[in-house]
Structures are given as structure tokens and as C-alpha cells.
């Protein structure tokens, strides 16, 4: 148990400077891109480093929500695709034919565009 806690502490001590370095680099990237593009294109003012870092955090809060994308069940598309694949594998031939017919009726079939009449 003690060894496990030591590994966690070791990882945290390594992760903290790496996270700070990544945040610093991303802040400078946002500042550089903003100051390079937007003052000319949109007549926006220039950003300081701290404003760029604040903008980065704000965008992350509004759009990213500080969650890991695609991990721990947060990616609904993969879950639905896996469920559909499992359902398809448990279908017999008759059920698959009925499914394909219903899909064609609703969506126009696989790989074919609907004929517009």
C-alpha cells in the first residue's frame, strides 16, 4: 500500500510542472495567434499574456467543461456504436433482413442517396 501511494505522489510531482508548462505554452500560443490575426481582421485590441490565459480558461469552461474527452464513458457515440454492433451480432438472418429493409425505408439504404422525385 505504501508503494502505491508513493507512485501516486511521484506522478503528481511530475504532473504539476508539466501541467504548468503546458498552460504557459498554450497561453503564449493564444496570445500570439490573437495578436497576429484579430487586430488586423476584426479590429480587436491586443491581448496580454494573462488575458490570453484567462480567455483560454473561459473557453475551456464554456466549451470543454474540463472533462476528458472520450474517456470514462463520456463519448456517447462510441457507446451507441458498440451497443448497435452487439445488437447486430445477436440478430439472426431474418432479423437482419428486416432491419435492412426498415433502414432502407427510413434512410434510403446504405451508401445510396435517396432518389428525389
Amino acid at each position: 500500500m505504501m508503494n502505491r501511494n508513493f507512485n501516486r505522489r511521484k506522478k503528481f510531482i511530475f504532473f504539476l510542472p508539466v501541467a504548468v508548462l503546458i498552460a504557459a505554452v498554450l497561453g503564449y500560443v493564444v496570445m500570439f495567434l490573437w495578436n497576429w490575426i484579430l487586430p488586423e481582421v476584426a479590429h480587436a485590441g491586443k491581448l496580454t499574456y494573462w488575458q490570453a490565459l484567462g480567455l483560454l480558461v473561459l473557453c475551456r469552461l464554456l466549451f470543454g467543461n474540463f472533462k476528458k474527452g472520450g474517456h470514462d464513458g463520456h463519448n456517447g457515440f462510441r457507446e451507441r456504436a458498440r451497443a448497435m454492433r452487439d445488437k447486430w451480432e445477436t440478430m439472426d438472418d431474418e432479423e437482419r433482413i428486416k432491419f435492412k429493409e426498415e433502414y432502407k425505408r427510413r434512410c434510403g439504404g446504405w451508401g445510396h442517396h435517396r432518389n428525389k422525385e
Side-chain angles (χ1 to χ4, degrees):
M1 187 62 108
M2 180 142 173
N3 190 23
R4 189 176 192 191
N5 289 337
F6 177 74
N7 285 338
R8 286 184 183 174
R9 255 186 261 132
K10 197 173 172 182
K11 287 179 184 177
F12 180 75
I13 290 172
F14 173 75
F15 175 74
L16 192 60
V18 170
V20 169
L21 181 66
I22 289 171
V25 169
L26 285 175
Y28 277 110
V29 167
V30 169
M31 183 182 74
F32 172 75
L33 289 173
W34 180 286
N35 291 338
W36 180 47
I37 297 169
L38 287 176
E40 250 182 71
V41 174
H43 305 290
K46 293 197 175 225
L47 286 184
T48 65
Y49 170 74
W50 295 108
Q51 289 171 328
L53 203 59
L55 183 64
L56 188 64
V57 169
L58 179 65
C59 287
R60 190 69 180 158
L61 281 171
L62 292 174
F63 304 114
N65 215 14
F66 289 107
K67 290 183 181 178
K68 292 180 183 179
H71 299 290
D72 302 326
H74 292 298
N75 193 338
F77 176 78
R78 286 190 181 154
E79 288 177 10
R80 288 190 306 270
R82 186 175 300 124
M84 189 64 219
R85 195 174 314 114
D86 293 342
K87 185 177 179 180
W88 179 263
E89 289 174 359
T90 60
M91 287 182 186
D92 61 14
D93 289 337
E94 185 178 318
E95 290 173 324
R96 288 181 182 178
I97 291 169
K98 285 172 64 175
F99 177 82
K100 286 180 183 180
E101 288 173 359
E102 181 66 20
Y103 187 86
K104 283 180 186 178
R105 187 183 70 74
R106 289 186 184 185
C107 305
W110 285 310
H112 302 286
H113 298 288
R114 281 187 172 169
N115 293 334
K116 295 188 179 186
E117 296 175 17

